[in-house]
Amino acid sequence: MQIVHDVHDFEACRSSYLPKIPLALEGNPEHRPVAPPEPVSLEASRCFPHLGDLPSVVFTGGSASSRSALRVGVILSGGPAPGGHNVIGGLFDGLQRAGVAGSLVGFRGGVSGLLTNDVRELEETVVHGYRNTGGFDMIGTGRTRLETEAQFSKALEVARERGLTGLVIVGGDDSNTNACALAERARAAGSPLCVVGVPKTIDGDLRGQRIETSFGFDTACKTYSGIIGNIHRDAVSMRKYWHFIKIMGRSASHIALECALQTHPTLVLISEEISRRELALHDLVDHIADVICYRGNRGENFGSVLIPEGIVEFVPEMRALITELNEALVAHAGELAALETLPHKREFVTGCLSPAPSGLFRRLPREIANQLILDRDPHGNVQVAKIDIQRLFLELVENRLHTMTQRGVYRGTFSPQTHYLGYEGRCAPPSNFDADYAYALGLTSAFLLRDGLSGMMATVRNLARPAAEWEAGGTPLARMMEFNRRHGRDVPVIRKALVNLEGPVFQSLQSQRDHWSRTTRFRYPGPLQYFGPQEICERTTLTLELESRR
Amino acid sequence: MQIVHDVHDFEACRSSYLPKIPLALEGNPEHRPVAPPEPVSLEASRCFPHLGDLPSVVFTGGSASSRSALRVGVILSGGPAPGGHNVIGGLFDGLQRAGVAGSLVGFRGGVSGLLTNDVRELEETVVHGYRNTGGFDMIGTGRTRLETEAQFSKALEVARERGLTGLVIVGGDDSNTNACALAERARAAGSPLCVVGVPKTIDGDLRGQRIETSFGFDTACKTYSGIIGNIHRDAVSMRKYWHFIKIMGRSASHIALECALQTHPTLVLISEEISRRELALHDLVDHIADVICYRGNRGENFGSVLIPEGIVEFVPEMRALITELNEALVAHAGELAALETLPHKREFVTGCLSPAPSGLFRRLPREIANQLILDRDPHGNVQVAKIDIQRLFLELVENRLHTMTQRGVYRGTFSPQTHYLGYEGRCAPPSNFDADYAYALGLTSAFLLRDGLSGMMATVRNLARPAAEWEAGGTPLARMMEFNRRHGRDVPVIRKALVNLEGPVFQSLQSQRDHWSRTTRFRYPGPLQYFGPQEICERTTLTLELESRR
C-alpha cells in the first residue's frame, strides 16, 4: 500500500537543520582507550567469553584510515524515540566519511526484519528525506527479541548472506543486551560481524556511569512539559478544575520528575519514593486529598497532579495484589470464565486472595477491579500498563473528599479532568539537543564499526556542555551487565536506572514541592521550539543539567 | 492565597515580542463609515431602539483628538482562548495613545466581577507581565451572563460608581449578545457607558460577513494539529494502532476540519455533513469499519479518526434519542432513582422511549447507555459534552469488525487508542497571528470607545494578508443579531456559524479525503513555532486562507 509523505512547511524548514558536530567527531577521528582495560566480572567473562576485556574508547579528531570493506545494517527496536532517524543519518554520513558510501541497509520492523531478511536500502535520497524528523517510520520498529539459539543463528546467517560487517541496534536495555549477546555469538562463530548498540528510550532509565542520558528523553519531556504548561494555564484561568495527568514512562519516574521541575505542578507522585517509603494507596490518596482540601478551603479549587505511568508496581500493597491476582487468574481461569456476571467474578477473585490483598481489592473502585480481572495479557497476567491509574486515584480521592465534606473539614468544590500524555511525545520532531545527540551517536557508531570494535555501546558524554565539547566513544556492553539467576543460568540484563532519591534532581524537587502545593507556582514552558533564541532552543533537560553539576 | 508566577525562559523571550500593527491603526486613527448606515431589521430596532442605525466604521491612520475623559473596564468571558491578554494589552496601549493612561480596570472572573464590583487595576506593570501569554489569568473568566433586568441595572450601577465611560466584553456569541443588550440599556438609561464586544472563541464559529475569524482559533488548531501530527508519526512508525481522537469545539466542526487539512488523517467526521446527509450512527460506524477493513486486509493495521466533540447532536437519531431521554429522565426521575441496579434502570428507560430511540438505546454500548442515564446536569438533562464519544465509536466499530472477521471479510488486527484534545489548546501561548490579531482588536476597541461608538463589535479584516494591510473598525452588534421567538418574545442571538458544506474549506477536504483513507498521507506540522522562518511562524490557518481566496 502506498504511503505518500505530504511534507508540511515545518518539516521542509526543519530538514535543512545541520546537527552540531562535536569537535572530537570531525573528519575521520581515531579512537584511543580511555584507560587500560579492566577485567570484566566473572559472570560477564563466562557469558561473553569471546568479547574479551575491551577498554572503553573515545574518539579524537584525526584522519584514521578506513577498513577495506564495510557493509552495515541498522535496526530500530522497541517504542519510538525522537532522534532515531538522526542516528541513521549520522551513521550514513559517518560511513561516507569512512569512504564506504552506499553500504547501509535498514532491517524493517525491528529485529524481526533481521530474522526475515527484510531490508530497505538506505541511499542518500532516502536518508535525506528523514533528517531531523520524529518517528521510526524510515524502516519501522518492532518488539521482537533474539531469544533462542535458532534466532541467533538465523541472524548471523542473514548477516553473512548480506555480507554485513557491522550491525547497529538502536534500542533500550533489552535491545542492547541483545546486541551484546549477538556480538558474542558472531565472534564465537568466526563471523566478521561487529555489533554496536545505541541507547534509546524516552523513559530516561537507560543511564549509567558512561551513559548520561538516552536520546529521546529531552524531546519527550519538553513535549509533555509544554502540554502540562498549557493545562496549568487553563487551570489558573478557569480556577475550577483539578487535572490528573498520567505521564508515559514504563517504570522509572524520570519523565514525571523532569516535567515537574519544568512546570511546577501542584502535586507530583514519584514511584521510587513511594516504594522506598513503603506508602500504601491510602497514604497517597490522603496526601492528595489534604492538599485539595487545604487549597479548596482557601477558595483555590484547582490544581494539577502528575502521576507516572508505572506507579502501580511501586506501591508495595498494589504490587502484592497484582502478584496474587496473576496467580489466582491463571490457577482458576476456568472457574472464572464460567461465572457470568462481573460481581460474581469479583466476589470469586476476592475469595482467592489472602487477607491484605483481598481487602485492598474490595476497596478499589469497581471499574478498576473489573479492569484487573478482565484485561489480561496472553499469559493470563494483569496488564499493568493498561490500568487506568489517573481514574483510580481520581475516584479514591473523590471518595475521600466526600467523607471530608461530610465531616465539615472540606468546604471546596472538586471538578476533576484526566489526561494521559504518551503517544504525542514518542514521535515528536527531535529537539535540537536530540537531533544533535542522536546524530553524534550515529557518527560514533559508524566509527566504532570502521575500527572493528564489537560489543560496544556508542556513548556521547559531557552533554550539558555545548555540542562542540561533547566526548564521543564506545563502552563495552558486557561491562554494563548485571546477572540474574534464572532457571539455573546467569542471565545478563542492563538494569533500568530508577530515580536516585539522593541525587540532585529529586533533591531539587523535594526542596520546592511544598511551595507548589500550598501556593500556585505554575510554570509555562510553551511548545518545544526549534528555531528561536538559544536559551530556549539549545538548553537540555534540568535532569541533565543538575546531574552534571555534581 | 499567593499565586507566584515562576517565569520560564520561553515566556521571558516571548514577552518581548512586539505585535505587528496594521498601518490603519498607527497613531490616533480616525474612524469613517464604511457605507451609509443601512436600516437594521424590524426586530433589531424593536429590541435595541436606542442604538439607532449605526454604520460599520473603519479606522484610517490619522490623529484624531481624544475625548476629555475615558475610564474603561474590561471583561474576559467564557472559555479561555489564546490572545485574551493581548486584547487587554492592545486596549491598554490604545488608551495610552488616546492620552488616558492609567484608566483601565479589569473585572475579575467574568461578568460576575462586574456584578460584584470586583476589579483589578490594570497598570503598566500588570499588563506588561502578561503580554503574549496564553490564558485568561490576568483577570480570570467566568460563564455568568446578564439575564435579568436586576443584573443589567446592577451592571450599570457599578459602571456609574466606577465612573466608567467604556466597557469591553471579550467573549463568544452569548457574551457579544450581552454586550449589545448592555449598550442598549446604557443608552436608554442615559448612561455615558459605551460597550464594545470582541470576538473570542477557539471554536471558530463566531464568524460572519465582517468577522473573518475569532481570535484563538489559529493557536488552538495549530496546537492540536501539532499533537495529531506526532500521533500520526507514531501510528506510521508502530504500524499497529488506530487512534480515535476527539477534538474540542462545542458545536461546529471548524477545528476538526482545519486540523484535518493540516494533518491528513485517515478519517475525519464532520458534524454538519452528517446532519445534512441525515446519517445514522451505524452509517458512520460502517464507514469507519470499511476503511479499517480495506487497510487491514492490505497489512496496514493503523490509522487515525478525528471526531469533533459536538458530533452527537448532529446525528439525527442521537439527537432524537437525547431529546426523548431528557423528557423521560425528568418525568420519571423518582421511579428511576428507586431502581437499584443499572440494568434495571436501563430496562426502565428503554420502556419510556418510542420505538426508534428505544432500539438505538438498546444497541449502544452499555457504558455509554449508563453515562446517558447517570451524567445529568442540574436540570436533569443528559450532559452531551460529557459523553465519551471516542469510546462510543470505538466500541461500535470493534463490534462491527468482530462480525466482519467472523464472516471472513476482515483479516486485519485492531488495536485502538483514544485521545481527547481540549484543555491543552485553549490556553496555549498565542501564535504570532493570534498575538497580532488580538492586539489589533484591543487597539480597535480603545479607539471605538475613544470615539464614543457603543454597541459595536471590534472587527479586524483582510486577515489572510500581512498584518500591515489589515483593515480595522467596528460593526454594529445589532446588525449581527437573529431573533428567536421564545415565550412570546423576540430574543436576539448571534447565530453560531457552522461549517459551510459548499465553502472552499469543506470542498478542499472532500477532494482529498479518499486518498487519505486508502493510502497513508499523514502530515506532521510539528509544535507551534514562534521564532522561526516566516512560512511556518507567520502563516495563519488554511481555513482563513481558503475562505479569503473566494
Side-chain angles (χ1 to χ4, degrees):
Chain A
M1 180 180 276
Q2 191 193 7
I3 298 195
V4 181
H5 185 169
D6 288 348
V7 177
H8 195 277
D9 290 326
F10 171 82
E11 276 192 277
C13 288
R14 192 66 189 145
S15 76
S16 60
Y17 175 78
L18 295 176
K20 295 179 276 299
I21 296 172
L23 287 172
L25 287 177
E26 289 194 346
N28 246 321
E30 292 168 1
H31 78 262
R32 61 169 177 77
V34 172
E38 305 160 42
V40 295
S41 69
L42 195 63
E43 295 100 325
S45 64
R46 249 189 230 139
C47 203
F48 308 109
H50 296 86
L51 292 182
D53 287 347
L54 288 168
S56 294
V57 301
V58 294
F59 287 102
T60 46
S63 52
S65 58
S66 289
R67 295 219 304 176
S68 50
L70 278 175
R71 187 155 171 82
V72 173
V74 60
I75 291 171
L76 300 175
S77 185
H85 290 156
N86 271 29
V87 172
I88 298 180
L91 177 60
F92 180 88
D93 293 351
L95 292 173
Q96 277 211 319
R97 282 208 226 152
V100 286
S103 59
L104 184 63
V105 296
F107 289 99
R108 287 184 203 269
V111 166
S112 70
L114 174 61
L115 296 175
T116 58
N117 198 359
D118 181 10
V119 305
R120 180 176 192 182
E121 288 285 340
L122 298 180
E123 291 149 8
E124 171 69 42
T125 49
V126 173
V127 174
H128 188 68
Y130 289 90
R131 288 185 193 267
N132 310 309
T133 61
F136 275 11
D137 46 315
M138 190 200 296
I139 54 174
T141 182
R143 298 211 179 268
T144 303
R145 281 185 244 171
L146 297 173
E147 283 168 319
T148 65
E149 285 307 319
Q151 286 176 317
F152 279 104
S153 302
K154 179 69 187 171
L156 291 178
E157 187 190 316
V158 170
R160 191 173 56 247
E161 270 175 39
R162 296 228 157 249
L164 295 189
T165 56
L167 180 67
V168 176
I169 299 181
V170 181
D173 45 354
D174 281 340
S175 303
N176 278 287
T177 306
N178 250 212
C180 190
L182 186 61
E184 164 66 24
R185 281 171 177 79
R187 279 284 153 85
S191 154
L193 185 74
C194 294
V195 186
V196 162
V198 172
K200 170 232 72 167
T201 167
I202 64 164
D203 297 350
D205 57 4
L206 184 50
R207 186 187 300 192
Q209 224 190 332
R210 295 193 61 79
I211 317 170
E212 295 178 357
T213 189
S214 49
F215 77 82
F217 177 68
D218 183 89
T219 308
C221 288
K222 285 173 179 162
T223 302
Y224 300 144
S225 295
I227 295 173
I228 295 166
N230 289 355
I231 293 172
H232 278 168
R233 197 110 216 183
D234 204 83
V236 77
S237 296
M238 299 302 289
R239 306 178 72 83
K240 67 173 183 186
Y241 293 126
W242 269 88
H243 295 274
F244 283 62
I245 307 171
K246 179 169 88 168
I247 308 182
M248 197 176 249
R250 199 101 144 259
S251 178
S253 303
H254 298 292
I255 297 182
L257 180 53
E258 170 68 23
C259 290
L261 293 177
Q262 293 290 350
T263 65
H264 298 188
T266 319
L267 285 161
V268 55
L269 304 179
I270 300 295
S271 305
E272 291 83 345
E273 183 187 21
I274 292 162
S275 172
R276 160 86 67 89
R277 294 174 54 194
E278 298 189 350
L279 298 177
L281 209 49
H282 78 85
D283 295 321
L284 304 175
V285 168
D286 286 357
H287 178 55
I288 298 172
D290 286 347
V291 170
I292 292 172
C293 174
Y294 176 89
R295 294 173 62 90
N297 290 348
R298 282 157 184 80
E300 309 282 280
N301 292 300
F302 65 91
S304 63
V305 189
L306 305 193
I307 306 172
E309 183 181 41
I311 196 169
V312 162
E313 292 179 292
F314 287 79
V315 180
E317 60 174 356
M318 282 295 286
R319 192 168 38 204
L321 169 61
I322 289 167
T323 306
E324 286 207 14
L325 268 178
N326 282 343
E327 282 164 18
L329 293 174
V330 172
H332 304 283
E335 293 146 272
L336 202 62
L339 293 169
E340 274 190 20
T341 71
L342 277 167
H344 287 118
K345 283 181 204 275
R346 283 197 306 273
E347 199 47 45
F348 176 80
V349 167
T350 313
C352 301
L353 304 172
S354 48
S358 151
L360 175 61
F361 188 71
R362 247 195 302 262
R363 289 193 306 275
L364 290 179
R366 197 180 304 173
E367 285 210 14
I368 303 289
N370 291 345
Q371 248 183 334
L372 287 174
I373 302 180
L374 296 177
D375 281 348
R376 279 173 286 157
D377 71 12
H379 309 292
N381 289 328
V382 170
Q383 299 211 57
V384 177
K386 283 202 176 173
I387 302 174
D388 208 343
I389 308 292
Q390 66 282 48
R391 190 148 294 282
L392 169 67
F393 278 100
L394 178 55
E395 296 205 12
L396 294 173
V397 166
E398 218 155 19
N399 295 344
R400 174 91 191 118
L401 289 173
H402 186 66
T403 313
M404 291 165 82
T405 303
Q406 286 181 322
R407 288 202 203 129
V409 178
Y410 172 53
R411 300 177 301 278
T413 58
F414 181 62
S415 294
Q417 301 284 349
T418 59
H419 308 265
Y420 173 44
L421 302 181
Y423 297 100
E424 51 277 81
R426 305 196 313 181
C427 283
S431 62
N432 290 346
F433 174 84
D434 272 329
D436 298 347
Y437 177 36
Y439 186 79
L441 287 168
L443 281 178
T444 304
S445 309
F447 299 135
L448 289 170
L449 293 176
R450 178 202 63 190
D451 294 350
L453 294 164
S454 191
M456 300 288 249
M457 178 184 281
T459 46
V460 174
R461 303 177 68 229
N462 287 340
L463 293 169
R465 307 280 313 148
E469 302 171 29
W470 290 354
E471 176 194 293
T475 303
L477 284 161
R479 213 176 285 286
M480 299 177 186
M481 298 296 161
E482 299 190 9
F483 290 83
N484 286 349
R485 194 91 192 153
R486 278 188 209 147
H487 307 297
R489 287 198 314 149
D490 282 329
V491 179
V493 291
I494 299 179
R495 189 199 289 268
K496 281 190 201 298
L498 300 180
V499 168
N500 175 6
L501 300 178
E502 275 74 43
V505 189
F506 181 75
Q507 299 288 327
S508 172
L509 174 77
Q510 222 175 5
S511 69
Q512 301 179 72
R513 61 182 171 185
D514 285 350
H515 299 287
W516 304 347
S517 294
R518 276 199 290 268
T519 61
T520 299
R521 305 194 68 128
F522 293 153
R523 277 172 108 218
Y524 316 113
L528 178 47
Q529 296 298 297
Y530 300 84
F531 305 98
Q534 240 189 334
E535 59 268 46
I536 51 174
C537 294
E538 304 300 336
R539 276 188 73 175
T540 180
T541 55
L542 281 166
T543 300
L544 199 51
E545 283 183 15
L546 290 167
E547 293 276 2
S548 72
R549 276 188 217 152
R550 282 201 287 191
Chain B
M1 180 180 276
Q2 191 194 9
I3 298 195
V4 181
H5 186 168
D6 287 349
V7 177
H8 194 276
D9 290 326
F10 171 81
E11 276 194 277
C13 288
R14 191 68 188 144
S15 76
S16 60
Y17 175 77
L18 295 176
K20 294 180 276 299
I21 296 173
L23 287 172
L25 287 177
E26 290 193 346
N28 245 320
E30 293 169 1
H31 79 262
R32 61 171 176 76
V34 173
E38 303 160 44
V40 295
S41 69
L42 195 62
E43 295 100 326
S45 64
R46 249 191 230 137
C47 202
F48 308 109
H50 297 86
L51 292 182
D53 287 348
L54 289 169
S56 294
V57 302
V58 294
F59 288 102
T60 46
S63 51
S65 58
S66 290
R67 295 218 303 175
S68 50
L70 277 176
R71 184 153 175 85
V72 174
V74 60
I75 291 171
L76 301 175
S77 184
H85 290 156
N86 271 29
V87 172
I88 299 179
L91 177 60
F92 180 89
D93 293 351
L95 292 173
Q96 277 212 317
R97 283 208 226 152
V100 284
S103 59
L104 185 62
V105 295
F107 289 101
R108 287 184 204 269
V111 167
S112 70
L114 175 61
L115 296 174
T116 58
N117 198 359
D118 182 10
V119 305
R120 179 176 193 184
E121 290 285 340
L122 299 180
E123 290 148 10
E124 171 69 42
T125 48
V126 173
V127 174
H128 188 69
Y130 289 91
R131 288 184 193 267
N132 311 307
T133 60
F136 275 12
D137 45 315
M138 190 200 297
I139 54 175
T141 183
R143 298 209 180 271
T144 303
R145 280 185 246 172
L146 298 173
E147 282 168 320
T148 65
E149 285 308 318
Q151 286 177 317
F152 279 105
S153 303
K154 179 70 187 170
L156 290 179
E157 187 190 316
V158 169
R160 191 175 56 245
E161 269 175 39
R162 295 224 158 252
L164 295 189
T165 56
L167 180 67
V168 176
I169 300 182
V170 181
D173 45 353
D174 281 340
S175 303
N176 278 286
T177 307
N178 250 212
C180 189
L182 186 61
E184 164 65 24
R185 280 170 178 78
R187 278 285 152 86
S191 154
L193 185 74
C194 294
V195 186
V196 163
V198 172
K200 170 232 72 168
T201 166
I202 63 163
D203 297 351
D205 57 4
L206 184 49
R207 186 187 301 193
Q209 227 191 330
R210 295 193 61 79
I211 318 170
E212 294 178 358
T213 190
S214 48
F215 78 81
F217 177 68
D218 184 88
T219 308
C221 288
K222 285 173 179 163
T223 302
Y224 299 143
S225 295
I227 294 172
I228 296 167
N230 289 356
I231 293 172
H232 278 169
R233 198 109 215 184
D234 204 84
V236 76
S237 297
M238 298 302 289
R239 306 177 72 83
K240 68 174 183 186
Y241 293 126
W242 269 88
H243 295 274
F244 283 62
I245 307 170
K246 180 168 87 167
I247 309 182
M248 196 175 250
R250 199 101 146 260
S251 178
S253 303
H254 297 292
I255 297 182
L257 180 53
E258 171 67 23
C259 290
L261 293 176
Q262 293 290 350
T263 64
H264 299 187
T266 319
L267 285 162
V268 55
L269 304 178
I270 300 296
S271 305
E272 291 83 347
E273 183 187 21
I274 292 161
S275 172
R276 160 85 67 88
R277 294 175 55 195
E278 298 189 350
L279 298 176
L281 209 50
H282 77 85
D283 295 321
L284 303 175
V285 168
D286 286 357
H287 178 55
I288 297 172
D290 286 348
V291 170
I292 292 172
C293 174
Y294 176 89
R295 293 172 62 90
N297 289 349
R298 283 158 185 78
E300 308 283 281
N301 292 301
F302 66 91
S304 64
V305 189
L306 304 193
I307 306 172
E309 182 181 41
I311 197 169
V312 162
E313 291 180 291
F314 288 79
V315 180
E317 60 175 357
M318 282 295 286
R319 191 167 39 203
L321 169 61
I322 290 167
T323 306
E324 287 206 13
L325 269 178
N326 282 343
E327 283 165 17
L329 294 175
V330 172
H332 304 283
E335 293 146 272
L336 203 62
L339 293 169
E340 274 191 19
T341 71
L342 276 167
H344 286 118
K345 283 181 204 274
R346 284 198 305 273
E347 198 48 44
F348 176 80
V349 167
T350 313
C352 301
L353 304 172
S354 50
S358 150
L360 175 60
F361 188 71
R362 246 195 302 263
R363 289 193 306 276
L364 290 179
R366 197 179 304 173
E367 285 211 12
I368 303 290
N370 292 345
Q371 247 184 335
L372 286 173
I373 302 180
L374 297 177
D375 279 350
R376 278 173 288 155
D377 71 12
H379 308 292
N381 290 328
V382 169
Q383 299 211 59
V384 177
K386 282 202 177 174
I387 302 174
D388 208 344
I389 309 292
Q390 64 283 49
R391 189 147 295 281
L392 168 68
F393 279 99
L394 178 55
E395 295 205 12
L396 293 173
V397 165
E398 219 155 19
N399 294 343
R400 175 90 190 120
L401 289 173
H402 185 66
T403 313
M404 291 164 83
T405 303
Q406 286 180 322
R407 288 202 202 127
V409 178
Y410 172 53
R411 300 177 301 278
T413 58
F414 181 62
S415 295
Q417 301 283 349
T418 60
H419 309 266
Y420 173 43
L421 302 181
Y423 297 100
E424 51 276 79
R426 307 196 312 182
C427 283
S431 62
N432 290 346
F433 175 85
D434 273 330
D436 298 348
Y437 177 37
Y439 186 80
L441 287 168
L443 281 179
T444 304
S445 309
F447 300 134
L448 289 169
L449 294 176
R450 178 201 62 190
D451 294 350
L453 294 164
S454 190
M456 301 287 249
M457 178 184 279
T459 46
V460 174
R461 302 176 68 228
N462 287 339
L463 293 169
R465 309 278 314 148
E469 301 171 31
W470 289 354
E471 177 194 291
T475 303
L477 283 161
R479 213 177 285 288
M480 298 177 185
M481 299 296 162
E482 300 190 8
F483 290 84
N484 286 349
R485 196 88 192 153
R486 278 188 210 146
H487 308 297
R489 286 198 314 150
D490 283 328
V491 179
V493 290
I494 299 179
R495 189 199 289 268
K496 280 189 201 299
L498 300 180
V499 168
N500 174 6
L501 300 178
E502 276 73 42
V505 189
F506 181 74
Q507 299 287 328
S508 172
L509 174 76
Q510 221 174 7
S511 69
Q512 301 179 72
R513 61 181 170 185
D514 286 350
H515 299 286
W516 303 347
S517 295
R518 276 199 290 268
T519 60
T520 298
R521 307 194 65 129
F522 293 153
R523 278 172 107 218
Y524 316 112
L528 178 46
Q529 295 298 297
Y530 300 84
F531 306 98
Q534 238 188 334
E535 60 266 47
I536 50 174
C537 294
E538 303 301 336
R539 277 188 72 175
T540 178
T541 56
L542 280 166
T543 301
L544 199 51
E545 283 184 16
L546 289 166
E547 293 276 3
S548 73
R549 277 190 217 150
R550 283 201 289 191

